[in-house]
Amino acid sequence: VFLSYFKLLWNIEDLASDKPRREAATQREHQYQSGDELCDTGRNNLKKEKEINIEGVEALLDDDGDLEVVRRPRSACDVEAQDLLRDRVYPVILMKGKEDAFEDEEQEATCNNVVKIEHTMATPLEDVGKQVWRAAFLLADYILFKWDTFRCCSVLELGGGTGIASIIMGTVAKTVYCTDVGDDLLAMCEKNVALNKHLMELGRGEVKVKELDWLKDEFCTDPDAPYSWSEEEIADLHDHCTVIMAADVFYDDDLTDALFRTLYRITHNLRNSCTVYLALEKRLNFTLRHMDVTCEAYSHFRNTLNDLENLQDRKMKYTVEPIKCDFCQFLIYERIEQL
């Protein structure tokens, strides 16, 4: 388990420093997509780079033909290895029962432009919520970009995971119900909310971590359950919620169906009209069934979304509208084409 610090690019200088890199990447993408003469030049340059890389690999072979791995130098003072240097990453490894060891780190990062998230690097499928996914960053960017839209709102997040999107939303919204399933995951989410409490205090927002199982038809109201709902909280959600959000939760068809059933059930009981923001990454996979690269989870999501929009209901009407991902980027991550 790691504790990562994610810096928010609040300052214009930060955004400006990142702008040339993003513009260059966008320009290269347009060149390859447009099919102009620069495309051929780019391919030739790429071919030369590959040839250079192949020569470099051959040079790293020893007398027996084994590959000699060049490791990153321990310090930047090695002049001969300057080209091998890269940005260093300092994750904080968390250990149970060692809370005091992180007081200094927490004090250093207690500022208005750093979000601290406890998470894991890799998990089995049933624990994917403990990782931080790119779609959550995209959703967080949109929240920061559309700040006034979410001011003083009551918000529900489905499949909140580590809670990063809810924490960002908590800096501007009045109340955020961050929901998921599994006591260990919810405990991690609650820890992250506590780590970033100082950010939410600026906007007087509140993030409540609650259990919400899409495979069940009712809210968990068992008083013995650690993340159950009170009757007052359920009433508050139904009376005041105007925003629902979810990020990177469409990877299993059965769970996608369950989420949309939950979404329908909750919106059906809301007093006010509601806007649902769904962020996801289209993941391409080669399947033997199709003998081609497909994106089945995304296709099932779109089909289910179309069914919701075409639903004949006298009380409810759903409309679907895509949002272009050309808004400002406030967090440092790779905003790939599949987001």
mmCIF file of all heavy atoms in Angstrom, residues 192-239:
data_model
loop_
_atom_site.group_PDB
_atom_site.id
_atom_site.type_symbol
_atom_site.label_atom_id
_atom_site.label_comp_id
_atom_site.label_asym_id
_atom_site.label_seq_id
_atom_site.Cartn_x
_atom_site.Cartn_y
_atom_site.Cartn_z
ATOM 1 N N ASN A 192 -8.392 8.228 3.325
ATOM 2 C CA ASN A 192 -8.034 9.263 2.358
ATOM 3 C C ASN A 192 -8.829 10.546 2.579
ATOM 4 O O ASN A 192 -8.304 11.651 2.425
ATOM 5 C CB ASN A 192 -8.252 8.742 0.931
ATOM 6 C CG ASN A 192 -7.245 7.684 0.531
ATOM 7 O OD1 ASN A 192 -6.122 7.671 1.034
ATOM 8 N ND2 ASN A 192 -7.634 6.795 -0.356
ATOM 9 N N VAL A 193 -10.099 10.399 2.934
ATOM 10 C CA VAL A 193 -10.913 11.577 3.235
ATOM 11 C C VAL A 193 -10.325 12.321 4.428
ATOM 12 O O VAL A 193 -10.230 13.549 4.435
ATOM 13 C CB VAL A 193 -12.376 11.171 3.496
ATOM 14 C CG1 VAL A 193 -13.175 12.362 4.023
ATOM 15 C CG2 VAL A 193 -13.010 10.639 2.223
ATOM 16 N N ALA A 194 -9.898 11.573 5.442
ATOM 17 C CA ALA A 194 -9.300 12.194 6.627
ATOM 18 C C ALA A 194 -7.975 12.877 6.292
ATOM 19 O O ALA A 194 -7.667 13.956 6.810
ATOM 20 C CB ALA A 194 -9.093 11.143 7.714
ATOM 21 N N LEU A 195 -7.184 12.263 5.393
ATOM 22 C CA LEU A 195 -5.899 12.842 5.010
ATOM 23 C C LEU A 195 -6.069 14.182 4.298
ATOM 24 O O LEU A 195 -5.163 15.021 4.320
ATOM 25 C CB LEU A 195 -5.134 11.876 4.104
ATOM 26 C CG LEU A 195 -4.515 10.631 4.760
ATOM 27 C CD1 LEU A 195 -3.961 9.686 3.698
ATOM 28 C CD2 LEU A 195 -3.420 11.031 5.744
ATOM 29 N N ASN A 196 -7.212 14.375 3.649
ATOM 30 C CA ASN A 196 -7.438 15.591 2.856
ATOM 31 C C ASN A 196 -8.543 16.475 3.440
ATOM 32 O O ASN A 196 -9.132 17.297 2.730
ATOM 33 C CB ASN A 196 -7.793 15.207 1.415
ATOM 34 C CG ASN A 196 -6.669 14.477 0.721
ATOM 35 O OD1 ASN A 196 -5.734 15.081 0.208
ATOM 36 N ND2 ASN A 196 -6.747 13.146 0.704
ATOM 37 N N LYS A 197 -8.788 16.309 4.715
ATOM 38 C CA LYS A 197 -9.853 17.069 5.355
ATOM 39 C C LYS A 197 -9.622 18.566 5.270
ATOM 40 O O LYS A 197 -10.560 19.365 5.151
ATOM 41 C CB LYS A 197 -9.974 16.631 6.817
ATOM 42 C CG LYS A 197 -11.184 17.203 7.543
ATOM 43 C CD LYS A 197 -11.286 16.649 8.957
ATOM 44 C CE LYS A 197 -12.505 17.211 9.679
ATOM 45 N NZ LYS A 197 -12.617 16.675 11.062
ATOM 46 N N HIS A 198 -8.336 18.975 5.311
ATOM 47 C CA HIS A 198 -8.016 20.410 5.273
ATOM 48 C C HIS A 198 -8.431 21.043 3.954
ATOM 49 O O HIS A 198 -8.745 22.231 3.891
ATOM 50 C CB HIS A 198 -6.513 20.612 5.499
ATOM 51 C CG HIS A 198 -5.662 19.970 4.456
ATOM 52 N ND1 HIS A 198 -5.431 18.613 4.417
ATOM 53 C CD2 HIS A 198 -4.992 20.499 3.401
ATOM 54 C CE1 HIS A 198 -4.642 18.332 3.391
ATOM 55 N NE2 HIS A 198 -4.373 19.455 2.755
ATOM 56 N N LEU A 199 -8.443 20.254 2.855
ATOM 57 C CA LEU A 199 -8.869 20.789 1.560
ATOM 58 C C LEU A 199 -10.372 21.066 1.556
ATOM 59 O O LEU A 199 -10.829 22.078 1.022
ATOM 60 C CB LEU A 199 -8.520 19.804 0.446
ATOM 61 C CG LEU A 199 -7.039 19.584 0.147
ATOM 62 C CD1 LEU A 199 -6.874 18.500 -0.901
ATOM 63 C CD2 LEU A 199 -6.391 20.883 -0.328
ATOM 64 N N MET A 200 -11.137 20.172 2.138
ATOM 65 C CA MET A 200 -12.587 20.315 2.133
ATOM 66 C C MET A 200 -13.065 21.377 3.111
ATOM 67 O O MET A 200 -14.123 21.970 2.919
ATOM 68 C CB MET A 200 -13.235 18.969 2.440
ATOM 69 C CG MET A 200 -13.046 17.967 1.306
ATOM 70 S SD MET A 200 -13.460 16.277 1.769
ATOM 71 C CE MET A 200 -11.971 15.792 2.635
ATOM 72 N N GLU A 201 -12.285 21.635 4.141
ATOM 73 C CA GLU A 201 -12.657 22.665 5.108
ATOM 74 C C GLU A 201 -12.656 24.056 4.479
ATOM 75 O O GLU A 201 -13.370 24.946 4.932
ATOM 76 C CB GLU A 201 -11.707 22.628 6.303
ATOM 77 C CG GLU A 201 -11.939 21.430 7.221
ATOM 78 C CD GLU A 201 -10.928 21.366 8.337
ATOM 79 O OE1 GLU A 201 -9.925 22.109 8.266
ATOM 80 O OE2 GLU A 201 -11.127 20.581 9.286
ATOM 81 N N LEU A 202 -11.866 24.228 3.411
ATOM 82 C CA LEU A 202 -11.819 25.530 2.730
ATOM 83 C C LEU A 202 -13.183 25.885 2.149
ATOM 84 O O LEU A 202 -13.602 27.042 2.186
ATOM 85 C CB LEU A 202 -10.757 25.513 1.630
ATOM 86 C CG LEU A 202 -9.310 25.304 2.095
ATOM 87 C CD1 LEU A 202 -8.389 25.186 0.891
ATOM 88 C CD2 LEU A 202 -8.864 26.443 2.991
ATOM 89 N N GLY A 203 -13.854 24.894 1.573
ATOM 90 C CA GLY A 203 -15.177 25.144 1.000
ATOM 91 C C GLY A 203 -16.304 24.701 1.890
ATOM 92 O O GLY A 203 -17.462 24.695 1.474
ATOM 93 N N ARG A 204 -15.959 24.270 3.127
ATOM 94 C CA ARG A 204 -16.948 23.817 4.110
ATOM 95 C C ARG A 204 -17.750 22.641 3.590
ATOM 96 O O ARG A 204 -18.934 22.474 3.908
ATOM 97 C CB ARG A 204 -17.873 24.969 4.507
ATOM 98 C CG ARG A 204 -17.150 26.122 5.191
ATOM 99 C CD ARG A 204 -18.113 27.224 5.608
ATOM 100 N NE ARG A 204 -17.400 28.319 6.263
ATOM 101 C CZ ARG A 204 -17.987 29.432 6.706
ATOM 102 N NH1 ARG A 204 -19.295 29.598 6.561
ATOM 103 N NH2 ARG A 204 -17.274 30.381 7.296
ATOM 104 N N GLY A 205 -17.103 21.822 2.773
ATOM 105 C CA GLY A 205 -17.763 20.629 2.264
ATOM 106 C C GLY A 205 -17.546 19.437 3.174
ATOM 107 O O GLY A 205 -16.685 19.452 4.050
ATOM 108 N N GLU A 206 -18.334 18.398 2.961
ATOM 109 C CA GLU A 206 -18.257 17.197 3.786
ATOM 110 C C GLU A 206 -18.372 15.975 2.890
ATOM 111 O O GLU A 206 -19.240 15.906 2.013
ATOM 112 C CB GLU A 206 -19.376 17.192 4.828
ATOM 113 C CG GLU A 206 -19.346 15.979 5.738
ATOM 114 C CD GLU A 206 -20.495 15.965 6.730
ATOM 115 O OE1 GLU A 206 -21.469 16.718 6.510
ATOM 116 O OE2 GLU A 206 -20.421 15.196 7.712
ATOM 117 N N VAL A 207 -17.485 15.008 3.091
ATOM 118 C CA VAL A 207 -17.529 13.752 2.366
ATOM 119 C C VAL A 207 -17.859 12.641 3.345
ATOM 120 O O VAL A 207 -17.143 12.435 4.335
ATOM 121 C CB VAL A 207 -16.193 13.454 1.661
ATOM 122 C CG1 VAL A 207 -16.246 12.087 0.977
ATOM 123 C CG2 VAL A 207 -15.870 14.530 0.628
ATOM 124 N N LYS A 208 -18.940 11.927 3.072
ATOM 125 C CA LYS A 208 -19.364 10.811 3.919
ATOM 126 C C LYS A 208 -19.148 9.509 3.155
ATOM 127 O O LYS A 208 -19.641 9.349 2.036
ATOM 128 C CB LYS A 208 -20.845 10.955 4.302
ATOM 129 C CG LYS A 208 -21.152 12.195 5.136
ATOM 130 C CD LYS A 208 -22.615 12.221 5.542
ATOM 131 C CE LYS A 208 -22.932 13.426 6.429
ATOM 132 N NZ LYS A 208 -24.342 13.424 6.864
ATOM 133 N N VAL A 209 -18.419 8.584 3.761
ATOM 134 C CA VAL A 209 -18.121 7.297 3.135
ATOM 135 C C VAL A 209 -19.204 6.303 3.555
ATOM 136 O O VAL A 209 -19.403 6.058 4.749
ATOM 137 C CB VAL A 209 -16.730 6.793 3.555
ATOM 138 C CG1 VAL A 209 -16.451 5.434 2.927
ATOM 139 C CG2 VAL A 209 -15.660 7.803 3.149
ATOM 140 N N LYS A 210 -19.896 5.728 2.553
ATOM 141 C CA LYS A 210 -21.019 4.839 2.826
ATOM 142 C C LYS A 210 -20.958 3.594 1.940
ATOM 143 O O LYS A 210 -20.379 3.610 0.857
ATOM 144 C CB LYS A 210 -22.354 5.568 2.573
ATOM 145 C CG LYS A 210 -22.594 6.766 3.485
ATOM 146 C CD LYS A 210 -22.762 6.348 4.928
ATOM 147 C CE LYS A 210 -22.920 7.535 5.857
ATOM 148 N NZ LYS A 210 -23.057 7.117 7.277
ATOM 149 N N GLU A 211 -21.586 2.536 2.430
ATOM 150 C CA GLU A 211 -21.676 1.305 1.637
ATOM 151 C C GLU A 211 -22.884 1.377 0.715
ATOM 152 O O GLU A 211 -23.980 1.779 1.121
ATOM 153 C CB GLU A 211 -21.813 0.093 2.565
ATOM 154 C CG GLU A 211 -21.965 -1.222 1.811
ATOM 155 C CD GLU A 211 -22.195 -2.414 2.726
ATOM 156 O OE1 GLU A 211 -21.743 -2.340 3.899
ATOM 157 O OE2 GLU A 211 -22.814 -3.400 2.292
ATOM 158 N N LEU A 212 -22.671 0.996 -0.538
ATOM 159 C CA LEU A 212 -23.774 0.910 -1.488
ATOM 160 C C LEU A 212 -23.479 -0.234 -2.453
ATOM 161 O O LEU A 212 -22.628 -0.117 -3.326
ATOM 162 C CB LEU A 212 -23.959 2.229 -2.247
ATOM 163 C CG LEU A 212 -25.147 2.276 -3.213
ATOM 164 C CD1 LEU A 212 -26.447 1.977 -2.472
ATOM 165 C CD2 LEU A 212 -25.260 3.629 -3.896
ATOM 166 N N ASP A 213 -24.185 -1.333 -2.255
ATOM 167 C CA ASP A 213 -23.990 -2.541 -3.057
ATOM 168 C C ASP A 213 -24.993 -2.526 -4.199
ATOM 169 O O ASP A 213 -26.205 -2.547 -3.973
ATOM 170 C CB ASP A 213 -24.191 -3.778 -2.172
ATOM 171 C CG ASP A 213 -23.743 -5.059 -2.863
ATOM 172 O OD1 ASP A 213 -23.608 -5.050 -4.098
ATOM 173 O OD2 ASP A 213 -23.516 -6.062 -2.156
ATOM 174 N N TRP A 214 -24.488 -2.509 -5.433
ATOM 175 C CA TRP A 214 -25.366 -2.456 -6.595
ATOM 176 C C TRP A 214 -26.172 -3.736 -6.766
ATOM 177 O O TRP A 214 -27.182 -3.731 -7.473
ATOM 178 C CB TRP A 214 -24.560 -2.204 -7.866
ATOM 179 C CG TRP A 214 -23.664 -1.013 -7.781
ATOM 180 C CD1 TRP A 214 -23.787 0.062 -6.948
ATOM 181 C CD2 TRP A 214 -22.496 -0.766 -8.562
ATOM 182 N NE1 TRP A 214 -22.775 0.959 -7.154
ATOM 183 C CE2 TRP A 214 -21.961 0.476 -8.143
ATOM 184 C CE3 TRP A 214 -21.841 -1.463 -9.573
ATOM 185 C CZ2 TRP A 214 -20.804 1.021 -8.698
ATOM 186 C CZ3 TRP A 214 -20.694 -0.928 -10.143
ATOM 187 C CH2 TRP A 214 -20.178 0.308 -9.709
ATOM 188 N N LEU A 215 -25.726 -4.821 -6.156
ATOM 189 C CA LEU A 215 -26.422 -6.093 -6.292
ATOM 190 C C LEU A 215 -27.573 -6.224 -5.301
ATOM 191 O O LEU A 215 -28.280 -7.232 -5.294
ATOM 192 C CB LEU A 215 -25.443 -7.252 -6.096
ATOM 193 C CG LEU A 215 -24.274 -7.304 -7.099
ATOM 194 C CD1 LEU A 215 -23.346 -8.463 -6.765
ATOM 195 C CD2 LEU A 215 -24.793 -7.411 -8.527
ATOM 196 N N LYS A 216 -27.772 -5.201 -4.465
ATOM 197 C CA LYS A 216 -28.868 -5.190 -3.508
ATOM 198 C C LYS A 216 -29.835 -4.054 -3.849
ATOM 199 O O LYS A 216 -29.417 -3.028 -4.387
ATOM 200 C CB LYS A 216 -28.337 -5.031 -2.082
ATOM 201 C CG LYS A 216 -27.439 -6.184 -1.639
ATOM 202 C CD LYS A 216 -26.928 -5.975 -0.227
ATOM 203 C CE LYS A 216 -26.033 -7.128 0.210
ATOM 204 N NZ LYS A 216 -25.492 -6.933 1.584
ATOM 205 N N ASP A 217 -31.083 -4.244 -3.530
ATOM 206 C CA ASP A 217 -32.123 -3.276 -3.901
ATOM 207 C C ASP A 217 -32.326 -2.172 -2.876
ATOM 208 O O ASP A 217 -33.057 -1.217 -3.133
ATOM 209 C CB ASP A 217 -33.455 -3.997 -4.127
ATOM 210 C CG ASP A 217 -33.401 -4.934 -5.331
ATOM 211 O OD1 ASP A 217 -32.597 -4.662 -6.244
ATOM 212 O OD2 ASP A 217 -34.129 -5.931 -5.332
ATOM 213 N N GLU A 218 -31.689 -2.279 -1.718
ATOM 214 C CA GLU A 218 -31.909 -1.307 -0.666
ATOM 215 C C GLU A 218 -30.576 -0.788 -0.116
ATOM 216 O O GLU A 218 -29.527 -1.420 -0.275
ATOM 217 C CB GLU A 218 -32.718 -1.934 0.478
ATOM 218 C CG GLU A 218 -34.095 -2.460 0.062
ATOM 219 C CD GLU A 218 -35.041 -1.354 -0.361
ATOM 220 O OE1 GLU A 218 -34.807 -0.202 0.084
ATOM 221 O OE2 GLU A 218 -36.003 -1.629 -1.097
ATOM 222 N N PHE A 219 -30.633 0.373 0.521
ATOM 223 C CA PHE A 219 -29.475 0.893 1.221
ATOM 224 C C PHE A 219 -29.196 0.035 2.456
ATOM 225 O O PHE A 219 -30.125 -0.508 3.066
ATOM 226 C CB PHE A 219 -29.710 2.341 1.666
ATOM 227 C CG PHE A 219 -29.780 3.319 0.526
ATOM 228 C CD1 PHE A 219 -31.015 3.680 -0.003
ATOM 229 C CD2 PHE A 219 -28.635 3.895 0.009
ATOM 230 C CE1 PHE A 219 -31.084 4.594 -1.043
ATOM 231 C CE2 PHE A 219 -28.699 4.805 -1.025
ATOM 232 C CZ PHE A 219 -29.930 5.149 -1.558
ATOM 233 N N CYS A 220 -27.925 -0.052 2.825
ATOM 234 C CA CYS A 220 -27.550 -0.765 4.039
ATOM 235 C C CYS A 220 -27.880 0.118 5.246
ATOM 236 O O CYS A 220 -27.295 1.182 5.433
ATOM 237 C CB CYS A 220 -26.063 -1.113 4.029
ATOM 238 S SG CYS A 220 -25.486 -1.896 5.548
ATOM 239 N N THR A 221 -28.830 -0.323 6.055
ATOM 240 C CA THR A 221 -29.234 0.458 7.232
ATOM 241 C C THR A 221 -28.970 -0.299 8.542
ATOM 242 O O THR A 221 -29.479 0.102 9.593
ATOM 243 C CB THR A 221 -30.724 0.816 7.144
ATOM 244 O OG1 THR A 221 -31.487 -0.390 6.997
ATOM 245 C CG2 THR A 221 -30.997 1.742 5.968
ATOM 246 N N ASP A 222 -28.184 -1.353 8.452
ATOM 247 C CA ASP A 222 -27.853 -2.136 9.647
ATOM 248 C C ASP A 222 -26.980 -1.289 10.574
ATOM 249 O O ASP A 222 -25.868 -0.913 10.208
ATOM 250 C CB ASP A 222 -27.107 -3.404 9.233
ATOM 251 C CG ASP A 222 -26.788 -4.301 10.417
ATOM 252 O OD1 ASP A 222 -27.144 -3.933 11.562
ATOM 253 O OD2 ASP A 222 -26.169 -5.357 10.205
ATOM 254 N N PRO A 223 -27.439 -0.983 11.777
ATOM 255 C CA PRO A 223 -26.654 -0.125 12.684
ATOM 256 C C PRO A 223 -25.328 -0.752 13.103
ATOM 257 O O PRO A 223 -24.410 -0.043 13.521
ATOM 258 C CB PRO A 223 -27.584 0.081 13.887
ATOM 259 C CG PRO A 223 -28.550 -1.060 13.825
ATOM 260 C CD PRO A 223 -28.725 -1.396 12.385
ATOM 261 N N ASP A 224 -25.203 -2.073 12.982
ATOM 262 C CA ASP A 224 -23.954 -2.737 13.340
ATOM 263 C C ASP A 224 -22.929 -2.702 12.207
ATOM 264 O O ASP A 224 -21.756 -2.990 12.437
ATOM 265 C CB ASP A 224 -24.233 -4.198 13.726
ATOM 266 C CG ASP A 224 -25.077 -4.298 14.989
ATOM 267 O OD1 ASP A 224 -24.967 -3.386 15.832
ATOM 268 O OD2 ASP A 224 -25.853 -5.272 15.111
ATOM 269 N N ALA A 225 -23.363 -2.397 11.000
ATOM 270 C CA ALA A 225 -22.434 -2.296 9.868
ATOM 271 C C ALA A 225 -21.679 -0.975 9.963
ATOM 272 O O ALA A 225 -22.276 0.070 10.253
ATOM 273 C CB ALA A 225 -23.197 -2.384 8.555
ATOM 274 N N PRO A 226 -20.360 -0.980 9.714
ATOM 275 C CA PRO A 226 -19.559 0.235 9.944
ATOM 276 C C PRO A 226 -19.867 1.390 8.997
ATOM 277 O O PRO A 226 -19.653 2.547 9.339
ATOM 278 C CB PRO A 226 -18.123 -0.257 9.763
ATOM 279 C CG PRO A 226 -18.232 -1.507 8.948
ATOM 280 C CD PRO A 226 -19.543 -2.130 9.311
ATOM 281 N N TYR A 227 -20.367 1.115 7.789
ATOM 282 C CA TYR A 227 -20.591 2.189 6.818
ATOM 283 C C TYR A 227 -22.041 2.204 6.346
ATOM 284 O O TYR A 227 -22.323 2.455 5.183
ATOM 285 C CB TYR A 227 -19.637 2.019 5.630
ATOM 286 C CG TYR A 227 -18.190 2.092 6.046
ATOM 287 C CD1 TYR A 227 -17.449 0.915 6.237
ATOM 288 C CD2 TYR A 227 -17.565 3.308 6.284
ATOM 289 C CE1 TYR A 227 -16.123 0.975 6.641
ATOM 290 C CE2 TYR A 227 -16.244 3.371 6.690
ATOM 291 C CZ TYR A 227 -15.529 2.197 6.867
ATOM 292 O OH TYR A 227 -14.203 2.260 7.267
ATOM 293 N N SER A 228 -22.942 1.958 7.266
ATOM 294 C CA SER A 228 -24.369 1.921 6.937
ATOM 295 C C SER A 228 -24.943 3.336 6.860
ATOM 296 O O SER A 228 -24.312 4.314 7.267
ATOM 297 C CB SER A 228 -25.121 1.093 7.982
ATOM 298 O OG SER A 228 -25.017 1.717 9.257
ATOM 299 N N TRP A 229 -26.164 3.418 6.331
ATOM 300 C CA TRP A 229 -26.871 4.684 6.183
ATOM 301 C C TRP A 229 -27.884 4.852 7.317
ATOM 302 O O TRP A 229 -28.538 3.894 7.717
ATOM 303 C CB TRP A 229 -27.636 4.723 4.860
ATOM 304 C CG TRP A 229 -26.785 4.672 3.635
ATOM 305 C CD1 TRP A 229 -26.083 3.600 3.159
ATOM 306 C CD2 TRP A 229 -26.576 5.725 2.703
ATOM 307 N NE1 TRP A 229 -25.443 3.917 1.997
ATOM 308 C CE2 TRP A 229 -25.729 5.216 1.683
ATOM 309 C CE3 TRP A 229 -27.017 7.045 2.604
ATOM 310 C CZ2 TRP A 229 -25.331 5.983 0.593
ATOM 311 C CZ3 TRP A 229 -26.623 7.810 1.520
ATOM 312 C CH2 TRP A 229 -25.772 7.284 0.529
ATOM 313 N N SER A 230 -28.018 6.068 7.765
ATOM 314 C CA SER A 230 -29.108 6.385 8.683
ATOM 315 C C SER A 230 -30.324 6.803 7.862
ATOM 316 O O SER A 230 -30.205 7.164 6.681
ATOM 317 C CB SER A 230 -28.705 7.511 9.634
ATOM 318 O OG SER A 230 -28.530 8.730 8.920
ATOM 319 N N GLU A 231 -31.455 6.757 8.465
ATOM 320 C CA GLU A 231 -32.675 7.177 7.762
ATOM 321 C C GLU A 231 -32.602 8.651 7.370
ATOM 322 O O GLU A 231 -33.101 9.051 6.305
ATOM 323 C CB GLU A 231 -33.901 6.919 8.653
ATOM 324 C CG GLU A 231 -34.164 5.449 8.963
ATOM 325 C CD GLU A 231 -34.493 4.636 7.723
ATOM 326 O OE1 GLU A 231 -34.945 5.236 6.719
ATOM 327 O OE2 GLU A 231 -34.296 3.405 7.756
ATOM 328 N N GLU A 232 -31.963 9.449 8.211
ATOM 329 C CA GLU A 232 -31.808 10.878 7.906
ATOM 330 C C GLU A 232 -30.927 11.087 6.685
ATOM 331 O O GLU A 232 -31.203 11.962 5.840
ATOM 332 C CB GLU A 232 -31.216 11.615 9.109
ATOM 333 C CG GLU A 232 -32.128 11.714 10.311
ATOM 334 C CD GLU A 232 -32.199 10.408 11.107
ATOM 335 O OE1 GLU A 232 -31.365 9.510 10.838
ATOM 336 O OE2 GLU A 232 -33.067 10.293 11.985
ATOM 337 N N GLU A 233 -29.859 10.295 6.560
ATOM 338 C CA GLU A 233 -28.966 10.437 5.403
ATOM 339 C C GLU A 233 -29.648 10.004 4.113
ATOM 340 O O GLU A 233 -29.457 10.641 3.062
ATOM 341 C CB GLU A 233 -27.697 9.614 5.648
ATOM 342 C CG GLU A 233 -26.795 10.217 6.721
ATOM 343 C CD GLU A 233 -25.681 9.275 7.134
ATOM 344 O OE1 GLU A 233 -25.840 8.041 6.981
ATOM 345 O OE2 GLU A 233 -24.643 9.766 7.621
ATOM 346 N N ILE A 234 -30.435 8.945 4.168
ATOM 347 C CA ILE A 234 -31.180 8.513 2.980
ATOM 348 C C ILE A 234 -32.182 9.579 2.565
ATOM 349 O O ILE A 234 -32.324 9.900 1.367
ATOM 350 C CB ILE A 234 -31.888 7.170 3.251
ATOM 351 C CG1 ILE A 234 -30.856 6.068 3.519
ATOM 352 C CG2 ILE A 234 -32.773 6.790 2.073
ATOM 353 C CD1 ILE A 234 -31.471 4.742 3.915
ATOM 354 N N ALA A 235 -32.856 10.164 3.528
ATOM 355 C CA ALA A 235 -33.816 11.226 3.227
ATOM 356 C C ALA A 235 -33.110 12.451 2.657
ATOM 357 O O ALA A 235 -33.609 13.090 1.715
ATOM 358 C CB ALA A 235 -34.594 11.598 4.497
ATOM 359 N N ASP A 236 -31.940 12.783 3.208
ATOM 360 C CA ASP A 236 -31.170 13.918 2.706
ATOM 361 C C ASP A 236 -30.737 13.689 1.262
ATOM 362 O O ASP A 236 -30.803 14.596 0.427
ATOM 363 C CB ASP A 236 -29.946 14.140 3.594
ATOM 364 C CG ASP A 236 -29.049 15.250 3.064
ATOM 365 O OD1 ASP A 236 -29.480 16.418 3.058
ATOM 366 O OD2 ASP A 236 -27.915 14.941 2.640
ATOM 367 N N LEU A 237 -30.310 12.456 0.952
ATOM 368 C CA LEU A 237 -29.914 12.126 -0.418
ATOM 369 C C LEU A 237 -31.087 12.293 -1.369
ATOM 370 O O LEU A 237 -30.971 12.930 -2.425
ATOM 371 C CB LEU A 237 -29.381 10.692 -0.466
ATOM 372 C CG LEU A 237 -28.990 10.180 -1.852
ATOM 373 C CD1 LEU A 237 -27.694 10.836 -2.311
ATOM 374 C CD2 LEU A 237 -28.833 8.663 -1.844
ATOM 375 N N HIS A 238 -32.234 11.745 -1.015
ATOM 376 C CA HIS A 238 -33.407 11.813 -1.887
ATOM 377 C C HIS A 238 -33.933 13.236 -2.037
ATOM 378 O O HIS A 238 -34.440 13.609 -3.104
ATOM 379 C CB HIS A 238 -34.514 10.912 -1.334
ATOM 380 C CG HIS A 238 -34.223 9.451 -1.506
ATOM 381 N ND1 HIS A 238 -34.815 8.467 -0.720
ATOM 382 C CD2 HIS A 238 -33.397 8.806 -2.367
ATOM 383 C CE1 HIS A 238 -34.371 7.283 -1.104
ATOM 384 N NE2 HIS A 238 -33.504 7.453 -2.099
ATOM 385 N N ASP A 239 -33.794 14.049 -1.007
ATOM 386 C CA ASP A 239 -34.356 15.399 -1.045
ATOM 387 C C ASP A 239 -33.439 16.420 -1.722
ATOM 388 O O ASP A 239 -33.925 17.401 -2.297
ATOM 389 C CB ASP A 239 -34.662 15.881 0.375
ATOM 390 C CG ASP A 239 -35.828 15.137 0.996
ATOM 391 O OD1 ASP A 239 -36.595 14.508 0.234
ATOM 392 O OD2 ASP A 239 -35.956 15.168 2.232
#
